[in-house]
Amino acid sequence: MATKVKVLGFWCSPFVFRVVWALKLKGVEFEYIEEDVFNKSTRLLELNPVHKKVPVLVHDDKVIVESFVVLEYIDETWPQDPLLPRDPYERAMARFWAKFADEKLMQTAVKSTWAKGEEKEDALKATMEALEKIEGELKGKSYFGGGENKYAYLEVTIGWINYLIPIWEEIASIQFLDPKRFPAITAWKSKFLDNTLIKETLPPREKLLIYFRERVKHWEIDATIRELTETKLEN
């Protein structure tokens, strides 16, 4: 009996792309449903009432949320072309680095685009330190999966580095991915973006630039409001 798979997503979300890439890599057919995350639909709120976020995977009558959880569900439900390694230690390390990139790199890189003064300097320093850790993990490999395992778990989960960081660099007029400082990441980025599946799914660069320029403006306003609020509380 054929199964029905749907993905609720947002066009530039790195968390959504993880799910989309995993399904495509495994050859799983699915229906993609675009959501407006700034005006959330009743459907999204009903399917994910806890977090009210994308991605949401709907597999027949089962609903799975949170991108890392969804990836593991996909890997276990469709075991062909496995994402996670079979070895328990390697699986643990893959999960570790995926979480590290989200918590230690993504958050600080984004903050670098809108923060000011010392706060910006701290964010930049933390971003570069996180990139150095990832560079060390990738050093000597063509892919995180090693060998010919080109697009496994870490490629899917950390792949956002390759298309979002260049956007944030341009918006903030800063350089994160210096090829001389990060040769392994630079080489990996080139291979990743040259993959046909990736090319077909990524949105146009100009569209990303327009979107994130607007988001940076909102983040700057939010930061100013927080600063004013904190000043009032102190007085």
Side-chain angles (χ1 to χ4, degrees), residues 10-23:
F10 183 60
W11 67 275
C12 65
S13 168
F15 311 107
V16 172
F17 274 117
R18 291 171 180 166
V19 175
V20 169
W21 290 337
L23 290 170

Side-chain angles (χ1 to χ4, degrees), residues 5-8 16-32 56-59 70-71 73-75 77-78 80-81 83 156 197:
V5 181
K6 298 180 181 180
V7 175
L8 277 66
V16 172
F17 274 117
R18 291 171 180 166
V19 175
V20 169
W21 290 337
L23 290 170
K24 285 182 173 290
L25 286 167
K26 286 177 173 286
V28 178
E29 294 186 3
F30 64 95
E31 176 186 355
Y32 176 79
V56 176
L57 178 76
V58 182
H59 181 205
V70 174
L71 286 182
Y73 177 84
I74 290 172
D75 213 22
T77 303
W78 295 280
Q80 68 272 22
D81 299 318
L83 300 173
V156 168
L197 183 151

Side-chain angles (χ1 to χ4, degrees), residues 14 18 21 97 101-102 105-106 109 130-131 134-135 138 144 154-169 176-177 185-186 188-189 192-193:
R18 291 171 180 166
W21 290 337
W97 285 110
D102 271 18
L105 177 57
M106 186 185 292
L131 283 169
I134 292 173
E135 173 76 11
L138 189 55
F144 280 104
L154 284 176
E155 267 66 38
V156 168
T157 56
I158 306 182
W160 60 266
I161 292 174
N162 299 313
Y163 76 96
L164 282 184
I165 282 190
I167 296 296
W168 299 337
E169 286 179 320
F176 294 126
L177 296 177
I185 294 178
T186 301
W188 169 64
K189 173 174 170 282
F192 184 90
L193 294 177

